[in-house]
Amino acid sequence: MELNISDIASQCITEINKKIKNLKNLNIIVAGKTGVGKSTLINYIFREQLAQTGIGRPVTQHIQMITKKDVPLTIYDTKGLELGRDTQKEIKGEIIDKIKEGLYSKDENKCIHCIWYCINTASDRIEEDEIEWIKEFTEDNKDIQVPLIIVLTKSFSKKKAKEFKDYIDSLNLPVCAIVPVLALDYEIDEEYIAKAYGGEELIEIMGELLGEELIPTLQNVQRAAVKQKVKYARGVVATTVTASFAEGFTPVPFADAALLVPTQVAMIASITVAFGLKVDKGIIASFITSILGTTGATLAGRSIVAGLFKLIPGAGTIIGGAISGGTAALITTALGEAYIRLMERMCLGEIKASDISSKEAMTEMKEIFKEELKDRK
Ligand SMILES: Nc1nc2c(ncn2[C@@H]2O[C@H](COP(=O)(O)OP(=O)(O)OP(=O)(O)O)[C@@H](O)[C@H]2O)c(=O)[nH]1
Ligand SMILES: [Mg+2]
């Protein structure tokens, strides 16, 4: 059995594209008065600078729909909540109508999945009319029950944000969560800059709130919570390994290492989609090449497994021409973990896509893979 790195990389790309195409669309309403930081929040949480570069289209008098090609996300941005009681009432009606429209369409891709109501923490007074609005809204929304999260925007002062949060908590509003966020670093003075935060918490809460089938989409579109991506990706690895190798520890004939490949391709594809990065064939090929420690385009299945086997400390010799399910699981886990590390570092800007084929990056990926094999034994 021969394996060709270029073919495997192509298979990964095909699988990635298939998974992206199958992602459900996530729909979020973002409401709040003008200037509270809705657009800044959207650009902080989601990739592609959606609020600036997305296509906006008015859907009602006060609701604007923002979308962008190849981002499975629709944001409904509301306008005019600062304009007084009558307008606020109109907006409430428009939002409820929008929710019902999605509901009656019976199309999961059109349903509103969540509402973020943004309140400015930095404003000096608690906005009573906003609290009133949320109360009335949640009353109207009682039967439909679209989850509402209060986002405390511009929370440069964590102390003030906590006080505000405690106050809103004490009102016992039927909201899912109250999350302080600073969406952009805030320069207090030259010496002190408050760093953006809150993305991890907001995405974690969204992850608990949304249905299982929307989680891959959430991870794909968000960019503010790399830890949540890693956590999700680790889940993918665990599920892959449990589903494929744990049962019965069926030995894998090592002359047929290619049998492992479709499973690992699917795993790599799911992880890639969760990180939402632009990954091309070259990146995947470099990754595989670095792990296998060879530059040959075509490899015999047998020699690959023998080579990988040597990397497992104290694994002994291969007996009877097969590796156990346990060993297959170990190799697959290490592969997944090494790939997650690569994606994580790309996300954090520590490795550039153009540098992945460099000798340093390749050596490092191999080291990570070897470490994973060691740690997990
Ligand atoms: N430093 C810092 N500035 C922020 C933050 N959020 C908003 N701003 C600033 O506040 C101003 C208003 O923010 P926007 O995001 O445009 O507010 P908006 O709610 O979209 O406003 P409208 O579109 O007019 O309704 C901008 O100058 C932002 O840069 C933040 O978290 N940190
Ligand atoms: Mg805006």
Side-chain angles (χ1 to χ4, degrees):
M1 178 71 84
E2 304 258 290
L3 292 173
N4 181 311
I5 291 181
S6 173
D7 286 349
I8 296 175
S10 296
Q11 283 174 34
C12 286
I13 298 298
T14 306
E15 193 65 24
I16 289 165
N17 290 335
K18 204 161 90 194
K19 284 188 193 293
I20 289 175
K21 225 180 103 209
N22 287 336
L23 287 174
K24 295 256 180 297
N25 201 73
L26 175 64
N27 305 305
I28 301 175
I29 292 178
V30 181
K33 294 183 176 180
T34 183
V36 296
K38 298 183 294 297
S39 299
T40 310
L41 176 70
I42 293 164
N43 288 334
Y44 165 57
I45 298 290
F46 301 114
R47 61 188 172 91
E48 310 273 344
Q49 294 288 308
L50 216 72
Q52 262 101 21
T53 59
I55 298 168
R57 179 165 79 77
V59 285
T60 66
Q61 196 183 349
H62 300 286
I63 300 176
Q64 162 117 9
M65 181 175 97
I66 308 170
T67 55
K68 188 159 187 178
K69 192 171 176 292
D70 297 330
V71 185
L73 170 74
T74 303
I75 301 282
Y76 294 94
D77 192 355
T78 63
K79 306 245 168 260
L81 270 164
E82 64 286 346
L83 295 177
R85 286 296 287 163
D86 291 347
T87 313
Q88 288 171 1
K89 237 196 181 120
E90 279 168 35
I91 295 172
K92 189 156 58 75
E94 284 174 33
I95 294 177
I96 296 283
D97 286 349
K98 189 74 220 155
I99 292 171
K100 285 185 178 160
E101 187 189 312
L103 212 58
Y104 297 151
S105 76
K106 297 217 162 53
D107 179 354
E108 179 63 26
N109 289 303
K110 293 200 173 116
C111 285
I112 303 296
H113 301 109
C114 187
I115 300 166
W116 295 352
Y117 191 95
C118 303
I119 305 180
N120 181 359
T121 300
S123 68
D124 284 326
R125 61 208 163 83
I126 308 258
E127 310 262 4
E128 286 304 334
D129 62 329
E130 307 206 74
I131 305 289
E132 258 328 291
W133 190 91
I134 293 169
K135 268 191 195 153
E136 288 172 21
F137 176 83
T138 45
E139 183 57 35
D140 291 359
N141 178 45
K142 208 167 58 191
D143 301 327
I144 328 176
Q145 291 192 329
V146 176
L148 187 141
I149 296 175
I150 295 182
V151 180
L152 302 179
T153 52
K154 302 193 188 183
S155 293
F156 354 98
S157 158
K158 287 192 178 167
K159 181 164 169 270
K160 197 165 170 185
K162 172 148 196 329
E163 284 166 14
F164 199 13
K165 182 175 184 292
D166 288 347
Y167 166 72
I168 299 175
D169 260 337
S170 75
L171 301 172
N172 282 317
L173 299 171
V175 300
C176 293
I178 305 163
V179 189
V181 172
L182 183 61
L184 206 62
D185 292 355
Y186 178 75
E187 191 179 322
I188 291 167
D189 58 40
E190 265 156 39
E191 273 116 82
Y192 186 69
I193 296 173
K195 284 274 173 211
Y197 71 93
E200 290 282 351
E201 193 188 351
L202 184 54
I203 293 303
E204 187 173 12
I205 289 167
M206 291 289 286
E208 287 161 11
L209 221 76
L210 296 173
E212 201 64 42
E213 71 286 353
L214 277 164
I215 304 300
T217 304
L218 177 70
Q219 296 304 343
N220 177 265
V221 297
Q222 67 95 355
R223 65 169 195 129
V226 178
K227 285 195 197 110
Q228 299 299 317
K229 286 184 191 282
V230 170
K231 195 170 148 203
Y232 169 81
R234 292 220 160 113
V236 169
V237 174
T239 310
T240 302
V241 168
T242 314
S244 309
F245 310 117
E247 259 175 59
F249 272 57
T250 323
V252 179
F254 77 76
D256 281 343
L259 290 178
L260 302 177
V261 169
T263 304
Q264 293 166 344
V265 164
M267 176 180 81
I268 294 291
S270 292
I271 295 170
T272 309
V273 172
F275 277 89
L277 297 167
K278 296 218 170 17
V279 168
D280 61 17
K281 200 177 144 185
I283 294 178
I284 308 244
S286 295
F287 174 73
I288 301 170
T289 305
S290 69
I291 298 271
L292 298 179
T294 170
T295 48
T298 307
L299 301 154
R302 189 184 183 85
S303 68
I304 293 177
V305 178
L308 291 176
F309 207 75
K310 268 190 286 183
L311 297 174
I312 305 175
T317 46
I318 305 169
I319 299 159
I323 57 173
S324 70
T327 304
L330 181 66
I331 291 172
T332 305
T333 304
L335 185 75
E337 287 292 337
Y339 191 68
I340 291 170
R341 282 288 295 279
L342 172 65
M343 292 288 105
E344 182 183 15
R345 299 194 55 193
M346 278 176 74
C347 252
L348 297 171
E350 293 170 7
I351 301 184
K352 283 207 273 321
S354 53
D355 292 343
I356 283 168
S357 54
S358 74
K359 198 156 174 273
E360 291 79 20
M362 304 255 288
T363 311
E364 202 184 322
M365 279 188 274
K366 173 129 194 173
E367 283 310 312
I368 293 172
F369 180 70
K370 277 164 76 177
E371 283 300 313
E372 290 296 338
L373 285 178
K374 233 186 270 168
D375 290 351
R376 269 152 220 285
K377 227 181 75 80

mmCIF file of all heavy atoms in Angstrom, residues 32-42 51-52 77-80 82 118 153-156 181-187 194 196, ligand 1:
data_model
loop_
_atom_site.group_PDB
_atom_site.id
_atom_site.type_symbol
_atom_site.label_atom_id
_atom_site.label_comp_id
_atom_site.label_asym_id
_atom_site.label_seq_id
_atom_site.Cartn_x
_atom_site.Cartn_y
_atom_site.Cartn_z
ATOM 1 N N GLY A 32 -28.912 47.487 20.854
ATOM 2 C CA GLY A 32 -28.321 48.426 21.807
ATOM 3 C C GLY A 32 -28.304 49.820 21.203
ATOM 4 O O GLY A 32 -28.351 49.986 19.981
ATOM 5 N N LYS A 33 -28.229 50.798 22.079
ATOM 6 C CA LYS A 33 -28.256 52.185 21.617
ATOM 7 C C LYS A 33 -27.064 52.544 20.744
ATOM 8 O O LYS A 33 -26.040 51.866 20.787
ATOM 9 C CB LYS A 33 -28.293 53.121 22.831
ATOM 10 C CG LYS A 33 -29.593 52.991 23.611
ATOM 11 C CD LYS A 33 -29.638 53.963 24.766
ATOM 12 C CE LYS A 33 -30.995 53.854 25.451
ATOM 13 N NZ LYS A 33 -31.128 54.769 26.585
ATOM 14 N N THR A 34 -27.189 53.621 20.033
ATOM 15 C CA THR A 34 -26.096 54.031 19.151
ATOM 16 C C THR A 34 -24.834 54.351 19.966
ATOM 17 O O THR A 34 -24.923 54.898 21.072
ATOM 18 C CB THR A 34 -26.504 55.246 18.284
ATOM 19 O OG1 THR A 34 -25.414 55.547 17.411
ATOM 20 C CG2 THR A 34 -26.806 56.484 19.109
ATOM 21 N N GLY A 35 -23.708 53.949 19.442
ATOM 22 C CA GLY A 35 -22.427 54.268 20.071
ATOM 23 C C GLY A 35 -22.025 53.390 21.241
ATOM 24 O O GLY A 35 -20.949 53.570 21.800
ATOM 25 N N VAL A 36 -22.864 52.396 21.609
ATOM 26 C CA VAL A 36 -22.478 51.552 22.757
ATOM 27 C C VAL A 36 -21.347 50.582 22.388
ATOM 28 O O VAL A 36 -20.700 50.020 23.278
ATOM 29 C CB VAL A 36 -23.665 50.740 23.355
ATOM 30 C CG1 VAL A 36 -24.715 51.662 23.928
ATOM 31 C CG2 VAL A 36 -24.259 49.793 22.336
ATOM 32 N N GLY A 37 -21.143 50.397 21.098
ATOM 33 C CA GLY A 37 -20.034 49.532 20.691
ATOM 34 C C GLY A 37 -20.469 48.225 20.029
ATOM 35 O O GLY A 37 -19.738 47.243 20.084
ATOM 36 N N LYS A 38 -21.612 48.234 19.366
ATOM 37 C CA LYS A 38 -22.108 47.013 18.695
ATOM 38 C C LYS A 38 -21.172 46.590 17.562
ATOM 39 O O LYS A 38 -20.767 45.432 17.492
ATOM 40 C CB LYS A 38 -23.525 47.253 18.139
ATOM 41 C CG LYS A 38 -24.555 47.576 19.198
ATOM 42 C CD LYS A 38 -25.939 47.734 18.600
ATOM 43 C CE LYS A 38 -26.073 48.943 17.671
ATOM 44 N NZ LYS A 38 -25.875 50.252 18.354
ATOM 45 N N SER A 39 -20.850 47.545 16.699
ATOM 46 C CA SER A 39 -19.993 47.194 15.552
ATOM 47 C C SER A 39 -18.617 46.742 16.022
ATOM 48 O O SER A 39 -18.054 45.771 15.499
ATOM 49 C CB SER A 39 -19.843 48.398 14.613
ATOM 50 O OG SER A 39 -21.107 48.774 14.124
ATOM 51 N N THR A 40 -18.094 47.422 17.027
ATOM 52 C CA THR A 40 -16.776 47.059 17.572
ATOM 53 C C THR A 40 -16.828 45.647 18.160
ATOM 54 O O THR A 40 -15.912 44.849 17.965
ATOM 55 C CB THR A 40 -16.358 48.083 18.650
ATOM 56 O OG1 THR A 40 -16.522 49.396 18.112
ATOM 57 C CG2 THR A 40 -14.922 47.892 19.074
ATOM 58 N N LEU A 41 -17.914 45.327 18.854
ATOM 59 C CA LEU A 41 -18.094 43.993 19.441
ATOM 60 C C LEU A 41 -18.133 42.927 18.346
ATOM 61 O O LEU A 41 -17.460 41.890 18.444
ATOM 62 C CB LEU A 41 -19.396 43.961 20.255
ATOM 63 C CG LEU A 41 -19.786 42.609 20.854
ATOM 64 C CD1 LEU A 41 -18.834 42.223 21.987
ATOM 65 C CD2 LEU A 41 -21.229 42.629 21.364
ATOM 66 N N ILE A 42 -18.886 43.193 17.296
ATOM 67 C CA ILE A 42 -19.023 42.234 16.186
ATOM 68 C C ILE A 42 -17.658 41.962 15.555
ATOM 69 O O ILE A 42 -17.281 40.818 15.313
ATOM 70 C CB ILE A 42 -20.034 42.763 15.135
ATOM 71 C CG1 ILE A 42 -21.453 42.806 15.730
ATOM 72 C CG2 ILE A 42 -20.012 41.907 13.871
ATOM 73 C CD1 ILE A 42 -22.449 43.641 14.939
ATOM 74 N N ALA A 51 -18.520 43.850 10.560
ATOM 75 C CA ALA A 51 -19.302 45.076 10.650
ATOM 76 C C ALA A 51 -18.833 46.148 9.662
ATOM 77 O O ALA A 51 -19.611 46.991 9.238
ATOM 78 C CB ALA A 51 -19.278 45.616 12.079
ATOM 79 N N GLN A 52 -17.534 46.094 9.305
ATOM 80 C CA GLN A 52 -17.051 47.073 8.324
ATOM 81 C C GLN A 52 -17.145 46.556 6.905
ATOM 82 O O GLN A 52 -17.490 47.285 5.986
ATOM 83 C CB GLN A 52 -15.571 47.428 8.593
ATOM 84 C CG GLN A 52 -15.391 48.712 9.366
ATOM 85 C CD GLN A 52 -15.098 48.404 10.830
ATOM 86 O OE1 GLN A 52 -14.660 47.312 11.144
ATOM 87 N NE2 GLN A 52 -15.344 49.334 11.705
ATOM 88 N N ASP A 77 -28.357 43.877 12.949
ATOM 89 C CA ASP A 77 -27.927 45.029 13.734
ATOM 90 C C ASP A 77 -29.141 45.954 13.851
ATOM 91 O O ASP A 77 -29.794 46.249 12.861
ATOM 92 C CB ASP A 77 -26.779 45.711 12.952
ATOM 93 C CG ASP A 77 -26.030 46.747 13.784
ATOM 94 O OD1 ASP A 77 -26.447 47.016 14.922
ATOM 95 O OD2 ASP A 77 -25.022 47.296 13.275
ATOM 96 N N THR A 78 -29.448 46.380 15.074
ATOM 97 C CA THR A 78 -30.633 47.240 15.231
ATOM 98 C C THR A 78 -30.207 48.697 15.360
ATOM 99 O O THR A 78 -29.150 49.007 15.895
ATOM 100 C CB THR A 78 -31.440 46.871 16.486
ATOM 101 O OG1 THR A 78 -30.621 47.096 17.614
ATOM 102 C CG2 THR A 78 -31.893 45.432 16.455
ATOM 103 N N LYS A 79 -31.050 49.564 14.882
ATOM 104 C CA LYS A 79 -30.756 51.000 14.929
ATOM 105 C C LYS A 79 -31.914 51.734 15.596
ATOM 106 O O LYS A 79 -33.063 51.395 15.349
ATOM 107 C CB LYS A 79 -30.635 51.561 13.506
ATOM 108 C CG LYS A 79 -29.648 50.829 12.641
ATOM 109 C CD LYS A 79 -28.482 51.733 12.251
ATOM 110 C CE LYS A 79 -27.360 50.952 11.628
ATOM 111 N NZ LYS A 79 -26.246 50.645 12.493
ATOM 112 N N GLY A 80 -31.591 52.712 16.419
ATOM 113 C CA GLY A 80 -32.627 53.640 16.893
ATOM 114 C C GLY A 80 -33.127 53.435 18.308
ATOM 115 O O GLY A 80 -34.054 54.125 18.741
ATOM 116 N N GLU A 82 -32.075 54.444 20.917
ATOM 117 C CA GLU A 82 -31.883 55.650 21.735
ATOM 118 C C GLU A 82 -32.958 56.702 21.462
ATOM 119 O O GLU A 82 -32.992 57.740 22.115
ATOM 120 C CB GLU A 82 -30.491 56.246 21.468
ATOM 121 C CG GLU A 82 -30.244 56.758 20.048
ATOM 122 C CD GLU A 82 -30.064 55.630 19.022
ATOM 123 O OE1 GLU A 82 -29.864 54.472 19.442
ATOM 124 O OE2 GLU A 82 -30.160 55.917 17.811
ATOM 125 N N CYS A 118 -26.675 45.029 24.089
ATOM 126 C CA CYS A 118 -25.461 45.709 24.549
ATOM 127 C C CYS A 118 -25.788 46.939 25.387
ATOM 128 O O CYS A 118 -26.571 47.790 24.964
ATOM 129 C CB CYS A 118 -24.626 46.153 23.349
ATOM 130 S SG CYS A 118 -24.182 44.801 22.262
ATOM 131 N N THR A 153 -20.767 46.426 27.351
ATOM 132 C CA THR A 153 -19.693 46.863 26.453
ATOM 133 C C THR A 153 -18.837 47.948 27.109
ATOM 134 O O THR A 153 -19.220 48.553 28.108
ATOM 135 C CB THR A 153 -20.287 47.410 25.154
ATOM 136 O OG1 THR A 153 -21.262 48.397 25.479
ATOM 137 C CG2 THR A 153 -20.934 46.323 24.324
ATOM 138 N N LYS A 154 -17.687 48.172 26.514
ATOM 139 C CA LYS A 154 -16.735 49.184 26.969
ATOM 140 C C LYS A 154 -16.418 49.038 28.454
ATOM 141 O O LYS A 154 -16.345 50.017 29.192
ATOM 142 C CB LYS A 154 -17.267 50.599 26.698
ATOM 143 C CG LYS A 154 -17.578 50.864 25.222
ATOM 144 C CD LYS A 154 -17.791 52.330 24.949
ATOM 145 C CE LYS A 154 -18.279 52.574 23.531
ATOM 146 N NZ LYS A 154 -18.438 53.987 23.201
ATOM 147 N N SER A 155 -16.248 47.785 28.878
ATOM 148 C CA SER A 155 -15.977 47.517 30.296
ATOM 149 C C SER A 155 -14.495 47.687 30.601
ATOM 150 O O SER A 155 -13.814 46.737 30.983
ATOM 151 C CB SER A 155 -16.448 46.108 30.662
ATOM 152 O OG SER A 155 -17.849 46.019 30.579
ATOM 153 N N PHE A 156 -13.962 48.899 30.405
ATOM 154 C CA PHE A 156 -12.533 49.074 30.702
ATOM 155 C C PHE A 156 -12.269 48.906 32.173
ATOM 156 O O PHE A 156 -11.243 48.396 32.575
ATOM 157 C CB PHE A 156 -11.925 50.425 30.274
ATOM 158 C CG PHE A 156 -12.797 51.345 29.497
ATOM 159 C CD1 PHE A 156 -13.470 52.376 30.122
ATOM 160 C CD2 PHE A 156 -12.934 51.189 28.117
ATOM 161 C CE1 PHE A 156 -14.250 53.241 29.396
ATOM 162 C CE2 PHE A 156 -13.728 52.057 27.388
ATOM 163 C CZ PHE A 156 -14.396 53.081 28.023
ATOM 164 N N VAL A 181 -17.519 42.925 28.524
ATOM 165 C CA VAL A 181 -16.580 42.769 27.410
ATOM 166 C C VAL A 181 -15.870 44.090 27.145
ATOM 167 O O VAL A 181 -16.473 45.162 27.225
ATOM 168 C CB VAL A 181 -17.326 42.326 26.121
ATOM 169 C CG1 VAL A 181 -16.385 42.367 24.911
ATOM 170 C CG2 VAL A 181 -17.919 40.933 26.266
ATOM 171 N N LEU A 182 -14.596 44.010 26.850
ATOM 172 C CA LEU A 182 -13.872 45.146 26.276
ATOM 173 C C LEU A 182 -13.429 44.671 24.898
ATOM 174 O O LEU A 182 -12.634 43.743 24.782
ATOM 175 C CB LEU A 182 -12.680 45.535 27.147
ATOM 176 C CG LEU A 182 -11.900 46.761 26.656
ATOM 177 C CD1 LEU A 182 -12.774 48.002 26.609
ATOM 178 C CD2 LEU A 182 -10.683 47.019 27.536
ATOM 179 N N ALA A 183 -13.989 45.267 23.866
ATOM 180 C CA ALA A 183 -13.823 44.723 22.515
ATOM 181 C C ALA A 183 -12.579 45.249 21.807
ATOM 182 O O ALA A 183 -12.201 44.747 20.759
ATOM 183 C CB ALA A 183 -15.070 45.011 21.688
ATOM 184 N N LEU A 184 -11.998 46.279 22.402
ATOM 185 C CA LEU A 184 -10.836 46.912 21.776
ATOM 186 C C LEU A 184 -9.965 47.380 22.927
ATOM 187 O O LEU A 184 -10.492 47.874 23.927
ATOM 188 C CB LEU A 184 -11.357 48.120 20.980
ATOM 189 C CG LEU A 184 -10.605 48.652 19.773
ATOM 190 C CD1 LEU A 184 -10.525 47.613 18.663
ATOM 191 C CD2 LEU A 184 -11.320 49.905 19.243
ATOM 192 N N ASP A 185 -8.661 47.237 22.807
ATOM 193 C CA ASP A 185 -7.776 47.749 23.863
ATOM 194 C C ASP A 185 -8.140 49.208 24.123
ATOM 195 O O ASP A 185 -8.481 49.936 23.194
ATOM 196 C CB ASP A 185 -6.300 47.690 23.427
ATOM 197 C CG ASP A 185 -5.799 46.262 23.295
ATOM 198 O OD1 ASP A 185 -6.560 45.336 23.633
ATOM 199 O OD2 ASP A 185 -4.656 46.074 22.841
ATOM 200 N N TYR A 186 -8.053 49.606 25.389
ATOM 201 C CA TYR A 186 -8.432 50.973 25.733
ATOM 202 C C TYR A 186 -7.271 51.660 26.433
ATOM 203 O O TYR A 186 -6.782 51.183 27.460
ATOM 204 C CB TYR A 186 -9.663 50.953 26.643
ATOM 205 C CG TYR A 186 -10.105 52.320 27.106
ATOM 206 C CD1 TYR A 186 -10.757 53.178 26.230
ATOM 207 C CD2 TYR A 186 -9.864 52.745 28.413
ATOM 208 C CE1 TYR A 186 -11.161 54.434 26.644
ATOM 209 C CE2 TYR A 186 -10.262 53.998 28.844
ATOM 210 C CZ TYR A 186 -10.908 54.837 27.951
ATOM 211 O OH TYR A 186 -11.305 56.081 28.360
ATOM 212 N N GLU A 187 -6.830 52.742 25.842
ATOM 213 C CA GLU A 187 -5.687 53.446 26.405
ATOM 214 C C GLU A 187 -6.159 54.416 27.477
ATOM 215 O O GLU A 187 -6.797 55.423 27.190
ATOM 216 C CB GLU A 187 -4.920 54.189 25.309
ATOM 217 C CG GLU A 187 -3.587 54.705 25.807
ATOM 218 C CD GLU A 187 -2.785 55.424 24.733
ATOM 219 O OE1 GLU A 187 -2.803 54.984 23.568
ATOM 220 O OE2 GLU A 187 -2.154 56.439 25.073
ATOM 221 N N ALA A 194 -5.767 49.155 28.971
ATOM 222 C CA ALA A 194 -6.633 48.029 29.327
ATOM 223 C C ALA A 194 -6.777 47.144 28.097
ATOM 224 O O ALA A 194 -7.096 47.619 27.017
ATOM 225 C CB ALA A 194 -7.996 48.544 29.785
ATOM 226 N N ALA A 196 -8.217 44.200 25.648
ATOM 227 C CA ALA A 196 -9.522 43.634 25.283
ATOM 228 C C ALA A 196 -9.716 42.293 25.996
ATOM 229 O O ALA A 196 -8.781 41.529 26.152
ATOM 230 C CB ALA A 196 -9.605 43.443 23.778
HETATM 231 N N1 LIG B 1 -11.341 51.346 23.299
HETATM 232 C C1 LIG B 1 -12.543 50.900 23.007
HETATM 233 N N2 LIG B 1 -13.374 51.646 22.247
HETATM 234 C C2 LIG B 1 -14.601 51.166 21.951
HETATM 235 C C3 LIG B 1 -15.039 49.895 22.413
HETATM 236 N N3 LIG B 1 -16.295 49.691 21.964
HETATM 237 C C4 LIG B 1 -16.613 50.764 21.223
HETATM 238 N N4 LIG B 1 -15.615 51.659 21.211
HETATM 239 C C5 LIG B 1 -15.588 52.954 20.524
HETATM 240 O O1 LIG B 1 -16.845 53.559 20.677
HETATM 241 C C6 LIG B 1 -17.268 54.172 19.463
HETATM 242 C C7 LIG B 1 -18.609 53.616 19.028
HETATM 243 O O2 LIG B 1 -18.505 52.237 18.770
HETATM 244 P P1 LIG B 1 -19.347 51.472 17.651
HETATM 245 O O3 LIG B 1 -18.907 50.075 17.666
HETATM 246 O O4 LIG B 1 -19.304 52.196 16.377
HETATM 247 O O5 LIG B 1 -20.805 51.619 18.267
HETATM 248 P P2 LIG B 1 -22.194 51.126 17.634
HETATM 249 O O6 LIG B 1 -23.000 50.610 18.739
HETATM 250 O O7 LIG B 1 -21.935 50.211 16.490
HETATM 251 O O8 LIG B 1 -22.808 52.489 17.102
HETATM 252 P P3 LIG B 1 -23.944 52.678 15.985
HETATM 253 O O9 LIG B 1 -23.563 51.855 14.794
HETATM 254 O O10 LIG B 1 -23.921 54.134 15.719
HETATM 255 O O11 LIG B 1 -25.236 52.271 16.596
HETATM 256 C C8 LIG B 1 -16.164 53.893 18.454
HETATM 257 O O12 LIG B 1 -15.321 55.020 18.398
HETATM 258 C C9 LIG B 1 -15.426 52.726 19.034
HETATM 259 O O13 LIG B 1 -14.075 52.701 18.658
HETATM 260 C C10 LIG B 1 -14.127 49.134 23.240
HETATM 261 O O14 LIG B 1 -14.418 48.011 23.695
HETATM 262 N N5 LIG B 1 -12.917 49.686 23.503
#
